Amino acid sequence: MNRKALLISTYEMGRQPFGLASPAAWLKSAGWEVVCVDTAKEPLDEAIVASAHVVGIHLPMHTATRLAAPVIQTVRHANPTARICAYGLYAPLNEAWLRALGVDRVIGGEFEADLVAFARAAGDRRPLARESSGSSTDGRSPLPRLKFLVPDRGGLLPLARYATLQMQNGSRRLVGYTEATRGCKHLCRHCPVVPIYEGQFRVVQPEVVLADIDAQVASGAEHVTFGDPDFFNGPAHAMRIVDAMHRRHATVSYDVTIKIEHLLAHRELLPRLVETGCAFVTSAVESVDDRVLAILEKGHTRSGFMHATRLCRDAGLPLVPTFVTFHPWLTIEGYCDLLDTVARLGLVEHVAPIQLAIRLLVPEGSRLLTVPEMRRYLGTFDPSTLTHRWVHPDPRVDLLHRDVSAIAGARVTADRRLVFAEVSELAHERAGLAMIDTHPARDRSTVPYLNEPWYC
């Protein structure tokens, strides 16, 4: 009998789903016929569902998890006997909810080998163990160290269906995606990586990463996003890969995510990033308030962020900061300070409008649930949003969040300077503060950016 596996992605920030390509290679190597469906781009055909023995649903982020509920229900309706597995960072955090929807198995980090084992047991109709795996959250299953396979992208939609990179000259580049490492050494309290990896990170063999890049370039990729939570968790490994990539594909650019503290600690590497084609570096700055940064255990300070901004500018490397803009410790004056700091540092065009409206998410398993500064604001868990509700002690801040969200959400593709100015004017008016004078902004076209702005 031909054993068929269906792998489903619901949302991966406008990228071709790596979370399908990697396990597809493992399942095919184990003799399975694999079909991949990205429901963010194509409908889920019930005939395909009905023919599958095993269904795997990738849940790498909060949005993807919320979107998975109707998908799981469709699978259960179309194929009641299929065995369903949910895997990825957000699967263990939402295990009870997923099982209530009909999921048979939950797998967290380093999921490929466990997914194959699940498929084999399901294909043989053997009883399935109920415990989670590949996750530190259950206290029983240590994260495995895998010898990775080159992702198999043959069953995915072409790169042209996904996000592109807007370049300085107005042209666009097709974007690929890969991972050189997984997990993270750090324990930031709000980060979804931490409950799963608990300070561990895993290296993907350079030859596997480079082969994946080669395949995507052959399919038209002109830019590659490295999806590592922190590209400089292993700086020597990271630079070995981008050096080799640049030798093979000198015209292909790339982007990475690096913590502020690592930009400071490895400042000597910033020029090499530029030389090897790095178009920009994203960093989760989160706040410019040192008290908030300490609560989140971010590992950097306000002054460190400013210093890193100068270092990147001096190296010719665009820094793209992201923020958790609204949280229980924010004041309206503090929000204005954040906006003023972004403007003074010349980063207005570097910040996607939606970043001005990001609200702190507190999912199940978050380290913030144990923090007294957070607990005093927490309400009940809301299964409709998969988060613990919190209300700001100052109703004016929640009202500001609502109004900023309306501006940013309605003008996702608008000129960033204009959206920023509108938000800044609103916030300063609410705070009773005068807006600062800033130097004329550079044209946005000088800052490369991906045309998929969401980051959660």
Side-chain angles (χ1 to χ4, degrees):
M1 180 180 67
N2 221 9
R3 298 186 297 178
K4 296 182 180 180
L6 170 62
L7 298 179
I8 300 173
S9 170
T10 61
Y11 181 63
E12 293 198 23
M13 295 191 292
R15 304 183 297 230
Q16 190 187 63
F18 180 91
L20 302 190
S22 182
W26 286 68
L27 286 165
K28 288 182 180 180
S29 179
W32 285 73
E33 178 183 333
V34 180
V35 175
C36 297
V37 176
D38 181 357
T39 59
K41 298 291 182 180
E42 57 185 330
L44 183 60
D45 187 334
E46 291 195 7
I48 293 176
V49 175
S51 67
H53 300 95
V54 170
V55 178
I57 303 174
H58 187 219
L59 305 179
M61 55 192 299
H62 184 258
T63 300
T65 307
R66 292 184 65 185
L67 291 172
V71 172
I72 296 169
Q73 292 165 351
T74 296
V75 170
R76 271 285 164 248
H77 173 75
N79 190 342
T81 64
R83 298 291 181 88
I84 303 176
C85 174
Y87 62 97
L89 289 179
Y90 271 79
L93 301 183
N94 297 283
E95 178 167 2
W97 178 78
L98 290 166
R99 289 194 183 278
L101 290 174
V103 170
D104 298 297
R105 187 68 181 275
V106 172
I107 303 173
E110 310 308 287
F111 47 75
E112 287 88 347
D114 284 330
L115 184 54
V116 170
F118 166 80
R120 283 174 174 154
D124 296 340
R125 308 309 295 179
R126 298 199 306 270
L128 299 177
R130 280 193 58 82
E131 72 269 8
S132 302
S133 62
S135 164
S136 296
T137 57
D138 61 12
R140 299 186 302 273
S141 305
L143 286 165
R145 294 184 180 274
L146 303 178
K147 184 172 177 58
F148 292 95
L149 301 178
V150 178
D152 187 320
R153 300 176 180 273
L156 302 180
L157 296 173
L159 293 175
R161 295 285 302 275
Y162 292 94
T164 58
L165 182 74
Q166 183 73 45
M167 297 300 292
Q168 294 93 328
N169 60 6
S171 65
R172 292 187 176 186
R173 292 188 169 195
L174 291 183
V175 177
Y177 173 92
T178 195
E179 297 175 359
T181 60
R182 294 180 177 178
C184 187
K185 291 180 178 179
H186 301 273
L187 299 172
C188 304
R189 282 173 167 160
H190 62 302
C191 178
V193 176
V194 173
I196 307 303
Y197 283 87
E198 293 187 344
Q200 305 171 77
F201 84 107
R202 296 288 184 262
V203 168
V204 183
Q205 301 94 303
E207 63 273 15
V208 171
V209 181
L210 292 167
D212 188 29
I213 292 171
D214 289 345
Q216 292 181 80
V217 172
S219 296
E222 302 159 293
H223 177 90
V224 175
T225 290
F226 285 92
D228 310 38
D230 191 321
F231 198 60
F232 276 0
N233 269 323
H237 171 72
M239 296 311 300
R240 187 178 304 118
I241 287 173
V242 294
D243 283 340
M245 171 182 162
H246 188 61
R247 287 193 298 270
R248 296 186 192 203
H249 311 290
T251 63
V252 174
S253 57
Y254 66 92
D255 70 273
V256 296
T257 297
I258 302 175
K259 285 174 67 69
I260 291 295
E261 65 181 286
H262 285 170
L263 293 172
L264 297 173
H266 304 293
R267 64 191 69 187
E268 76 284 356
L269 297 178
L270 302 186
R272 280 182 61 194
L273 290 176
V274 176
E275 292 164 6
T276 54
C278 188
F280 62 91
V281 57
T282 300
S283 193
V285 175
E286 315 302 35
S287 175
V288 296
D289 183 326
D290 282 337
R291 174 174 176 259
V292 175
L293 292 170
I295 291 172
L296 299 180
E297 288 193 1
K298 276 303 299 178
H300 69 261
T301 62
R302 174 190 181 100
S303 62
F305 164 49
M306 294 179 173
H307 191 188
T309 300
R310 291 192 292 271
L311 289 172
C312 288
R313 181 174 292 117
D314 291 345
L317 178 62
L319 176 65
V320 175
T322 62
F323 300 101
V324 177
T325 326
F326 286 87
H327 46 73
W329 316 286
L330 181 71
T331 64
I332 295 181
E333 295 79 9
Y335 186 73
C336 292
D337 178 53
L338 171 64
L339 298 175
D340 292 348
T341 301
V342 168
R344 287 192 182 101
L345 292 173
L347 295 174
V348 170
E349 299 89 347
H350 298 233
V351 179
I354 197 63
Q355 289 298 319
L356 306 177
I358 295 295
R359 183 179 174 92
L360 178 66
L361 294 178
V362 187
E364 290 281 44
S366 171
R367 289 187 70 216
L368 284 172
L369 294 172
T370 66
V371 177
E373 293 92 338
M374 185 76 238
R375 288 180 61 85
R376 66 174 62 110
Y377 301 111
L378 285 175
T380 57
F381 181 77
D382 181 3
S384 67
T385 63
L386 299 179
T387 60
H388 289 265
R389 288 185 176 274
W390 61 267
V391 177
H392 198 281
D394 183 351
R396 297 177 304 160
V397 174
D398 281 338
L399 179 61
L400 179 64
H401 174 256
R402 184 199 69 184
D403 294 341
V404 171
S405 297
I407 295 171
R411 303 178 62 187
V412 170
T413 60
D415 187 297
R416 293 181 177 185
R417 293 167 298 176
L418 299 178
V419 177
F420 186 91
E422 184 175 347
V423 169
S424 187
E425 181 178 0
L426 173 68
H428 284 80
E429 180 183 340
R430 299 276 176 90
L433 298 173
M435 293 179 61
I436 66 168
D437 291 327
T438 58
H439 295 295
R442 294 184 301 164
D443 186 86
R444 183 188 173 195
S445 64
T446 64
V447 182
Y449 65 95
L450 293 170
N451 62 359
E452 168 55 64
W454 294 92
Y455 195 75
C456 61

